[in-house]
Amino acid sequence: MVEEPVLLPHPRTGEAFESPVPPGTGWPGDVAAPGTPVARTPDDVARLAASATSLDDLDRDSSVCRACPRLVAWREDVAVVKRRMFRDQPYWGRPAAGFGDPAAGLLIAGLAPAAHGANRTGRLFTGDRSGDWIFAALHRAGVANQATSVDAADGLRLAGVRMAAAVRCAPPDNKPLPSERDTCEPWLRRELELTAPTVRAVMALGAFGWGVVLTVARHLGWDVPRPAPRFGHGAVAPLTRPDGVVVHLVGCYHVSQQNTQTGRLTEAMLDEVLAHALALAAGRTG
């Protein structure tokens, strides 16, 4: 006897979904369909990422990726077991695609989705304490229409800013393996290619994101300073594309609870680095 899937209502729309959420079933912001091609190997990721002709294509294909067995098992187990406070909600349980303005001047590169944040809501930084910090800062800077982000149907919009994760699935202990980082890298590489007409600055949240962006830049044939620029809060490294355009890499301590609760990262520190990154993205270097 086949058991019927458990359906739970979306916390805002009330529409019922399975956990994890199958593609093409109406989840807010889901651009995938039941027939969307699924990457199951690193070669599949490289091929599908390279063939994406738009950000919608990239978001669609990356949101159903199954190329890292450990991450797939973890994200889907979390989606079934859930956290107690979210037990009455469906969990996205899939990779979190990029989010924000398709004509962004600033790309914010995070580490990976949180197990009970984007892995639950389906949108980067949405529904966790890290998101509380970054979206509040973006709102103070005037590039987000609201200071909070609780679910993928809450009306949040970003102007001039896009977000992407170095690894698109929630990893155990928030620590992806090097092999998982490398498998996922083509998605971010294509993100930078597709946003090349407008992106002039990348703000890396944490040393992990910083390192992945440098790797992507090298793979794209960009000129990266030698020795390799070291991560630091407020550090800036110019990355020169083959067409001569300079994209500034800006370092920022990650908006993790460990950093924000200990005071290693304060609101003032975050606001200052974000303002500098936005200025570089707008071509204001003085």
Side-chain angles (χ1 to χ4, degrees):
M1 181 176 179
V2 178
E3 292 186 7
E4 290 293 322
V6 176
L7 301 179
L8 293 171
H10 187 276
R12 185 171 299 269
T13 69
E15 188 173 352
F17 295 96
E18 298 177 50
S19 297
V21 177
T25 53
W27 188 270
D30 186 7
V31 294
T36 295
V38 177
R40 299 184 184 278
T41 67
D43 286 345
D44 287 346
V45 173
R47 174 177 53 81
L48 287 171
S51 66
T53 59
S54 68
L55 289 171
D56 280 348
D57 288 349
L58 186 71
D59 294 346
R60 178 197 67 205
D61 292 350
S62 65
S63 74
V64 297
C65 183
R66 302 182 68 84
C68 297
R70 187 184 79 115
L71 296 187
V72 171
W74 170 256
R75 79 191 192 208
E76 295 187 351
D77 183 63
V78 170
V80 172
V81 176
K82 303 183 173 70
R83 179 173 282 172
R84 180 176 297 176
M85 65 186 299
F86 303 126
R87 197 151 292 171
D88 61 345
Q89 299 181 17
Y91 267 50
W92 173 253
R94 287 164 42 197
F99 165 71
D101 190 341
L106 174 64
L107 180 69
I108 297 177
L111 193 164
H116 304 283
N119 191 56
R120 172 175 60 89
T121 65
R123 191 171 70 194
L124 279 178
F125 287 108
T126 297
D128 63 29
R129 293 183 182 177
S130 293
D132 293 343
W133 270 69
I134 191 66
F135 288 120
L138 291 167
H139 185 254
R140 290 192 296 270
V143 293
N145 68 319
Q146 58 194 48
T148 58
S149 178
V150 294
D151 62 63
D154 63 8
L156 176 69
R157 297 187 304 277
L158 303 181
V161 176
R162 183 171 170 87
M163 299 176 155
V167 173
R168 305 200 171 204
C169 292
D173 300 319
N174 209 33
K175 294 179 180 178
L177 300 175
S179 59
E180 294 162 347
R181 174 202 62 201
D182 295 345
T183 294
C184 208
E185 184 266 340
W187 298 125
L188 184 61
R189 189 192 319 169
R190 189 60 180 151
E191 191 115 20
L192 278 171
E193 289 179 320
L194 291 170
T195 56
T198 58
V199 164
R200 296 296 178 266
V202 178
M203 190 170 91
L205 299 178
F208 187 95
W210 177 275
V212 171
V213 173
L214 290 178
T215 297
V216 168
R218 293 188 188 98
H219 288 170
L220 290 173
W222 297 9
D223 184 23
V224 177
R226 295 187 180 184
R230 296 184 62 182
F231 171 77
H233 186 76
V236 178
L239 310 176
T240 306
R241 301 186 332 204
D243 60 2
V245 171
V246 175
V247 176
H248 293 90
L249 177 60
V250 181
C252 179
Y253 289 146
H254 200 284
V255 286
S256 64
Q257 289 187 56
Q258 181 178 2
N259 285 342
T260 58
Q261 291 180 353
T262 61
R264 188 179 191 221
L265 179 66
T266 65
E267 287 186 356
M269 292 168 64
L270 178 57
D271 288 349
E272 183 179 10
V273 169
L274 177 59
H276 191 195
L278 287 168
L280 292 170
R284 301 191 302 271
T285 58

